[in-house]
Amino acid sequence: MLFQYLYPENHSFENLNQYLVQFVNSLAATNSRSRFVLNNYFHADFVDILNESPKLKGKFENFFNSFKTLGDDEKTRFIELLNNVQEFNQVFSDTTIDLDDCKTESINNLIGNDSFKQLADFLFTCVKYDRWNIKGHYQLIYEALDHKVCPFCGIHTLHKTFREDYDHLAPKALYPLVSIHPKNLAPMCHDCNSKNKGAKDVLYTDQGNRRTFVYPYSNHITVTLDFSNSVIPQTDINNQEGNWEILFDPANDETETWDEIFNIKTRYLTDFLIPNYETWINDFVLDCVEENIDLNDSDLIKEQLSLFGRRFNRKWYEQANLIKGPLFDFLANCENDLFFNSITTIYNRRVGAA
């Protein structure tokens, strides 16, 4: 997203999805009289797993009994749909790919019930089992990161001591065929995953139009924040509280989707800028006091604000600097005398208190 994950190729985490795909492909020749014999339809290694898990075995059998009664065209269509989404990373950038037939309602209609959806949901609960080593999968992703923060917001820390949530990029409630597909799963901070993205469809708008979603294992967004439409607090007699507004540069489909899915602008303003603005300004003044920089001159204030902006921009993913860097750049160039006078007032109070 803001930066890329390295996808852990050929990890054991992929095996569960591969076993499912093999199973479905083996069903092409079934008919209404076919019996659910594990060795006929499953990889030998997975047979042992099923024998240890009666509930999982039961979910497979329920789907098997529904699938075997389908007509040949329906069987072929379902198998095609599952095989076609195996390179699922492609659908995020190619908006010509129609995924309506892959959605839950279409799959349920094709099968005649929700037996595959129930199987897919139960399979995802199995992902946490030690045999799939999802912890090791996460560690490979984490260790390869230059920045140990969530790439979807760029702010919240990703932890090494425990595994972060694995988000379904295309939600499993809507796309059961990729419920356990590793290329549809990515670590994400709790705020991005549970509190904001949730079950939003990243591939279709609410109006049903396909859209581009930047795929975190192969692409990223290059974006900066623009505060040029903002009203700085205490600088407008008709609006003493000010009004902060964030624009994206560039403003395009990718950044619009990013904002809509993760509620970026609102979170950046509500959780970080608005509650911390006065602290950031006071810290700026205090640092200048400690460095014996006289802030009684607006040109010098601009110079120092610009210097702080460059410092924040150099360490983009530390302490909300991706907000603070563009913010201080904006303040340095705002040409707002009331704002610069307020900096001088804070400075002189600090110096007087010292």
Side-chain angles (χ1 to χ4, degrees):
M1 185 55 67
L2 290 171
F3 52 88
Q4 292 171 216
Y5 281 140
L6 178 66
Y7 181 77
E9 298 284 355
N10 301 316
H11 190 274
S12 58
F13 184 43
E14 296 180 332
N15 291 345
L16 185 59
N17 183 65
Q18 291 171 355
Y19 290 145
L20 173 64
V21 173
Q22 180 199 352
F23 164 71
V24 170
N25 278 281
S26 73
L27 301 181
T30 56
N31 57 55
S32 60
R33 297 182 302 276
S34 298
R35 295 173 54 244
F36 185 66
V37 179
L38 298 187
N39 290 325
N40 292 347
Y41 302 106
F42 294 97
H43 189 283
D45 293 341
F46 199 52
V47 170
D48 293 337
I49 295 170
L50 290 172
N51 283 326
E52 295 172 1
S53 178
K55 287 185 178 180
L56 178 58
K57 179 181 175 182
K59 298 294 182 182
F60 272 106
E61 185 169 8
N62 286 340
F63 169 69
F64 175 89
N65 288 332
S66 296
F67 187 89
K68 71 179 185 179
T69 63
L70 298 178
D72 290 342
D73 289 345
E74 287 76 16
K75 290 177 182 176
T76 299
R77 181 57 179 157
F78 182 83
I79 293 171
E80 284 179 348
L81 288 172
L82 183 62
N83 288 332
N84 288 343
V85 297
Q86 290 314 298
E87 292 303 319
F88 197 62
N89 49 303
Q90 296 176 2
V91 308
F92 291 98
S93 58
D94 187 351
T95 57
T96 67
I97 298 175
D98 186 356
L99 294 167
D100 280 339
D101 286 350
C102 296
K103 292 185 177 180
T104 297
E105 183 177 359
S106 296
I107 295 299
N108 289 351
N109 289 337
L110 181 60
I111 300 300
N113 55 46
D114 66 348
S115 59
F116 183 80
K117 178 66 167 61
Q118 289 190 32
L119 169 61
D121 287 345
F122 194 85
L123 279 169
F124 184 68
T125 69
C126 301
V127 165
K128 64 185 178 183
Y129 294 168
D130 290 343
R131 72 172 75 247
W132 312 117
N133 194 20
I134 190 172
K135 292 181 180 179
H137 188 268
Y138 172 73
Q139 285 299 316
L140 289 173
I141 294 174
Y142 179 88
E143 295 296 341
L145 288 175
D146 291 329
H147 313 290
K148 310 302 186 185
V149 297
C150 174
F152 299 92
C153 65
I155 293 179
H156 289 296
T157 300
L158 295 182
H159 299 86
K160 183 176 182 178
T161 53
F162 63 89
R163 176 179 62 79
E164 298 292 341
D165 296 343
Y166 266 59
D167 173 74
H168 286 84
L169 300 174
K172 65 183 178 68
L174 296 176
Y175 300 95
L177 295 177
V178 289
S179 180
I180 57 169
H181 198 309
K183 291 183 178 179
N184 187 41
L185 294 164
M188 189 178 293
C189 76
H190 183 69
D191 278 12
C192 281
N193 182 23
S194 299
K195 293 184 178 180
N196 289 281
K197 178 178 178 294
K200 294 176 185 175
D201 191 344
V202 303
L203 300 171
Y204 284 86
T205 66
D206 290 342
Q207 292 72 40
N209 300 316
R210 280 284 275 120
R211 60 180 169 187
T212 300
F213 179 82
V214 175
Y215 185 61
Y217 289 113
S218 61
N219 296 299
H220 67 279
I221 292 174
T222 300
V223 62
T224 56
L225 308 184
D226 178 356
F227 293 95
S228 58
N229 286 354
S230 297
V231 177
I232 302 171
Q234 308 303 316
T235 65
D236 185 337
I237 193 171
N238 296 316
N239 184 6
Q240 288 295 304
E241 293 184 358
N243 181 51
W244 292 110
E245 182 175 344
I246 292 176
L247 303 174
F248 291 139
D249 182 17
N252 57 26
D253 291 343
E254 291 180 349
T255 54
E256 181 180 338
T257 299
W258 175 51
D259 180 43
E260 182 180 336
I261 297 300
F262 296 104
N263 204 21
I264 294 296
K265 290 179 182 178
T266 298
R267 291 168 63 193
Y268 281 5
L269 291 176
T270 304
D271 294 343
F272 296 97
L273 196 159
I274 293 173
N276 292 301
Y277 170 71
E278 290 187 11
T279 298
W280 292 345
I281 293 299
N282 282 315
D283 287 346
F284 161 75
V285 172
L286 181 58
D287 284 352
C288 289
V289 170
E290 292 176 349
E291 295 178 16
N292 296 314
I293 298 170
D294 190 338
L295 297 182
N296 281 290
D297 180 87
S298 61
D299 287 337
L300 190 55
I301 294 173
K302 295 176 186 178
E303 179 182 318
Q304 290 302 309
L305 287 168
S306 182
L307 175 62
F308 271 65
R310 290 196 298 273
R311 288 177 182 172
F312 295 138
N313 287 330
R314 282 198 297 269
K315 297 182 178 180
W316 195 244
Y317 295 111
E318 295 182 11
Q319 300 178 336
N321 284 351
L322 61 84
I323 300 173
K324 291 160 69 176
L327 172 66
F328 273 71
D329 288 342
F330 160 69
L331 295 174
N333 295 282
C334 68
E335 301 299 334
N336 188 320
D337 289 338
L338 286 176
F339 168 69
F340 296 130
N341 290 340
S342 71
I343 295 294
T344 297
T345 299
I346 297 171
Y347 169 78
N348 287 324
R349 286 175 182 167
R350 285 284 189 179
V351 172

